[in-house]
Amino acid sequence: AVVSTQSTGHERVTAMYSWSDVTRRTEQVYRECSKPKQPLTSRLDLQWSRAPVAGTLYYICYAISYLIFVITSWLQPEHTIEVVPCRYEDGIVEKGRPNRLGR
């Protein structure tokens, strides 16, 4: 049996990840998320054209989630919800703590 020590486990994990690679992939995700969204009808039609059976299930799931959204919006209107301001541009990430750059 092979006994793995804490340091060899750490070395294996270190070899699996590269911070520059993690950063690159994270930036790709943020870029994708910040792109303008396609209209809902285009997205639904795309799902339908790729797989008619799965597309039908997607339509049903969307209809149910939209119905839940409408009901919760009626029960708790948006204007009654307190919005937390985004302060990333100030260099403040959460609860007044400075970010890693010390800004």
Side-chain angles (χ1 to χ4, degrees), residues 10-28 100:
H10 177 71
E11 289 169 8
R12 287 177 53 200
V13 171
T14 302
M16 286 192 288
Y17 294 99
S18 156
W19 282 114
S20 60
D21 184 48
V22 170
T23 303
R24 181 186 53 78
R25 289 185 290 150
T26 303
E27 287 176 346
Q28 285 177 333
R100 284 185 286 156

Side-chain angles (χ1 to χ4, degrees), residues 26-95:
T26 303
E27 287 176 346
Q28 285 177 333
V29 169
Y30 280 120
R31 272 191 231 103
E32 277 299 311
C33 290
S34 64
K35 284 183 180 177
K37 303 283 187 251
Q38 292 178 344
L40 176 62
T41 54
S42 298
R43 288 184 281 159
L44 290 174
D45 289 341
L46 181 65
Q47 292 297 324
W48 182 270
S49 66
R50 287 186 179 167
V53 175
T56 302
L57 293 174
Y58 184 75
Y59 267 72
I60 292 169
C61 290
Y62 176 77
I64 291 169
S65 65
Y66 184 74
L67 184 62
I68 291 169
F69 169 74
V70 169
I71 291 170
T72 55
S73 294
W74 178 72
L75 292 172
Q76 178 88 38
E78 188 176 343
H79 70 275
T80 65
I81 299 172
E82 182 180 353
V83 178
V84 177
C86 177
R87 296 175 38 176
Y88 288 113
E89 60 275 355
D90 296 339
I92 298 171
V93 178
E94 64 175 304
K95 297 183 181 178

